[in-house]
Amino acid sequence: MDPYQVIAEGGEALIAGWLGVTLTAGLRLPEAESEERGEFLLAGAKAALEQLAPAGAWLGERLQAVQFLCAHSAAMHWQASANSSYLGEPVRHRAQRFAVQMLALTSHQLSTLARLRDQRRREAEAAERQAWRKEAHETKEQLARGSAFTAELERMMKLGEEAEAMPESAAELAPPAALKSAGAAVPEPPPGPESRFNRQQRRALERMARKRGHAGRNT
């Protein structure tokens, strides 16, 4: 990719490119080796960087990974010099001392990387638990709203069934209208035609008439 395009994009692309260039410059690649071997070592180092501190890791962790890989490359270079049979004893002794120092440094860096990686894992797990609790709370509220809606719907249906079960003559059983207050100027409704008497009412009237007739003859 064009470096100017990476600079223009910025963000993760720029950081990843910068880390790759820094790693390439810091690695101790053997000069006597072939170009293919050099490319192989560089590709392996970049793959190791991605494993040690991927793109989602904290920038400090990724920098620590680059430093570890560069220090490890230097340690291996000095260790190879200490093992060489073509060098004199003083040179090999000095190379061994440098190798021991670099290996101690890489061990410390590796421990730091492990601690940072464990911290990143704990933070990710905490975020997952928080997301789960939020989802569970939202689900609980949704279920509660659904239960309340169902209960209200059942209540309304019950009221409708009770209303349908009432007799049609319920209006006749209603209590009489309240008495008018004294002095209220409410006009009386106009008298309507008399309703026809039923059989029971006619018999009662006939009995009353007979009683009145008997009472008139007795007088």
Side-chain angles (χ1 to χ4, degrees):
M1 183 180 292
D2 186 4
Y4 294 102
Q5 183 179 354
V6 175
I7 294 174
E9 291 182 2
E12 173 58 30
L14 180 58
I15 292 175
W18 173 69
L19 288 174
V21 171
T22 303
L23 178 63
T24 303
L27 287 175
R28 187 65 181 266
L29 300 176
E31 298 178 357
E33 299 292 343
S34 63
E35 183 177 355
E36 290 78 7
R37 181 174 175 81
E39 291 179 355
F40 171 79
L41 293 175
L42 182 58
K46 290 182 178 180
L49 174 61
E50 181 64 24
Q51 289 290 325
L52 289 171
W58 175 49
L59 179 58
E61 185 178 354
R62 299 168 75 178
L63 287 172
Q64 188 71 29
V66 170
Q67 295 174 11
F68 165 75
L69 292 172
C70 293
H72 176 75
S73 177
M76 294 300 98
H77 167 75
W78 289 112
Q79 187 62 53
S81 298
N83 296 335
S84 176
S85 59
Y86 300 100
L87 299 176
E89 184 66 24
V91 177
R92 288 191 288 115
H93 180 73
R94 184 171 63 253
Q96 185 65 60
R97 187 171 67 251
F98 289 158
V100 170
Q101 294 175 356
M102 296 304 297
L103 289 173
L105 176 61
T106 55
S107 297
H108 177 72
Q109 291 173 331
L110 194 59
S111 298
T112 302
L113 281 172
R115 185 172 65 254
L116 292 173
R117 186 172 185 176
D118 185 63
Q119 179 181 352
R120 177 158 47 89
R121 177 185 57 80
R122 291 196 303 269
E123 291 175 352
E125 292 176 352
E128 290 179 358
R129 289 193 299 269
Q130 181 66 21
W132 180 87
R133 284 194 293 266
K134 182 179 179 181
E135 183 178 357
H137 180 69
E138 292 177 352
T139 302
K140 183 178 179 180
E141 289 185 345
Q142 184 177 1
L143 291 175
R145 289 193 298 267
S147 299
F149 175 77
T150 303
E152 181 64 16
L153 183 60
E154 291 177 351
R155 187 183 71 83
M156 294 178 65
M157 293 177 63
K158 183 178 181 181
L159 290 176
E161 293 174 356
E162 292 177 353
E164 292 178 356
M166 292 178 63
E168 296 181 356
S169 59
E172 299 177 358
L173 302 178
L179 297 176
K180 295 185 294 182
S181 59
V186 179
E188 294 289 341
E194 290 184 334
S195 60
R196 299 180 60 183
F197 299 109
N198 56 29
R199 182 181 299 178
Q200 185 178 2
Q201 290 173 338
R202 288 197 301 270
R203 290 179 178 178
L205 290 175
E206 291 173 358
R207 285 197 300 270
M208 291 176 64
R210 285 196 298 270
K211 288 181 181 181
R212 289 178 182 177
H214 290 306
R217 286 195 298 270
N218 292 334
T219 59

